[in-house]
Structures are given as structure tokens and as C-alpha cells.
Amino acid sequence: MRTVNAYAATAATRPLGPTTIQRRDLGPHDVLIEIKFCGICHSDIHHARSEWGAATYPVVPGHEIAGVVAQVGSKVTRHAVGDRVGVGCLVDSCGDCANCRKGEEQLCLKGSTLTYGSIRQTQEMLNFCARHRIGADIEVIPASKINEAYERVLASDVRYRFVIDAATLK
């Protein structure tokens, strides 16, 4: 088991606070990512506040992760230690069912782990942005400012994505 630092909500009405979480040992098909940055948005707020159904607490919100491969399992062939990688909308879809074959991995018939959104539509948007040289406007924040960022999102006092600098969790 590996212990990592995080910020978590312990209840729907409580602010997020620093915590540690236990991560399972690396499996043969796993990639361990040293997270450098993690996005937060309305989806995270809705989930942390149980607005999309009952959440299981503690909740560590955040998605759209960017980092560097720190370790790979024995059967991993696509990535190597030191590769820059990102985790988008979901992980763990089967890739084989009818929905996955149609590019709708978020609707995987065998289950998936959502980090919000759809792979196909997200990729279309990323391709469009790359073709037209459109970049994202972000505000990088330390983890200690996550509650302030949430309040600014709720007040519509932001026109871009907040991104947590994971180095500030140490």
C-alpha cells in the first residue's frame, strides 16, 4: 500500500481539507502516475456535495490529471517511466463491448470508472483546438486554495479551469 496526500470532503456540507489516502499496490496492468496537475470544475463540486446522488465519503475531487509515469506494471507496454501522460474522462472501460467499439466508453456495458464526460466528444474538441491553435485558459492554484476556488466557480467568478498544483500537497 502507498500513502498519498490529498484534499477531501468528509460530508456534503463541509469544506475540503488535507488528508492522506491509501492506494493499492501496483498491479501488472497498472501505471503509477506522479500527478503534477489536476483540474477542478462544477462536476467536482456537484459530486463532493452529493448533488448527483449520494456520495461515499471521504471524496477526493478532481479530474483531468497530468503527470509523469513513475512506475509501470510488468505487463504494461504502452508507457514507460518518465513518459508524460494524462488521464481524461474515464478509466477502466473494457474496450470490447458494443458501446466501447462505438467510441462511447463512458457507457461501457461492463463498467468503467468515470472522471466525467465522454472520450469521443472530448477527443473531437481537443483535435479541433489543436487544428486551430486554441489553448486553455487556466489558473494554477495551490491545494490549500481549493475551497476558495469552489466558491468562485459557484459565484461564476471564473472564466477558465482551475488547476491544482500537486506539488503543493507535499
Side-chain angles (χ1 to χ4, degrees):
M1 296 291 279
R2 179 183 315 270
T3 302
V4 297
N5 296 321
Y7 265 68
T10 57
T13 58
R14 300 202 34 129
L16 278 72
T19 191
T20 58
I21 56 174
Q22 296 292 315
R23 301 296 311 196
R24 65 176 168 77
D25 291 330
L26 195 72
H29 299 279
D30 293 338
V31 174
L32 176 65
I33 301 171
E34 180 185 347
I35 298 171
K36 300 293 186 179
F37 300 96
C38 176
I40 57 171
C41 68
H42 269 99
S43 299
D44 300 298
I45 296 168
H46 293 306
H47 183 68
R49 294 186 174 175
S50 286
E51 295 171 350
W52 286 349
T56 302
Y57 294 97
V59 169
V60 177
H63 63 289
E64 298 169 345
I65 297 165
V68 177
V69 174
Q71 188 177 351
V72 296
S74 60
K75 295 189 178 183
V76 172
T77 58
R78 187 173 175 185
H79 299 290
V81 172
D83 287 353
R84 292 177 187 226
V85 294
V87 177
C89 300
L90 64 91
V91 295
D92 291 335
S93 61
C94 75
D96 191 47
C97 70
N99 290 339
C100 285
R101 287 192 308 271
K102 288 190 302 189
E104 301 291 343
E105 292 91 343
Q106 76 278 12
L107 302 174
C108 178
L109 298 172
K110 296 181 183 177
S112 61
T113 302
L114 298 176
T115 63
Y116 311 109
S118 160
I119 295 294
R120 182 171 46 86
Q121 288 86 358
T122 300
Q123 190 61 55
E124 289 171 4
M125 182 269 307
L126 291 172
N127 293 343
F128 176 86
C129 290
R131 276 193 308 276
H132 297 282
R133 299 181 189 264
I134 299 170
D137 289 332
I138 64 169
E139 181 176 337
V140 178
I141 62 169
S144 62
K145 298 286 186 183
I146 192 169
N147 291 302
E148 180 182 314
Y150 270 22
E151 293 305 317
R152 286 183 56 202
V153 168
L154 291 172
S156 297
D157 181 30
V158 64
R159 291 182 294 274
Y160 39 77
R161 166 108 44 223
F162 283 110
V163 176
I164 301 167
D165 181 349
T168 63
L169 287 169
K170 296 176 181 174

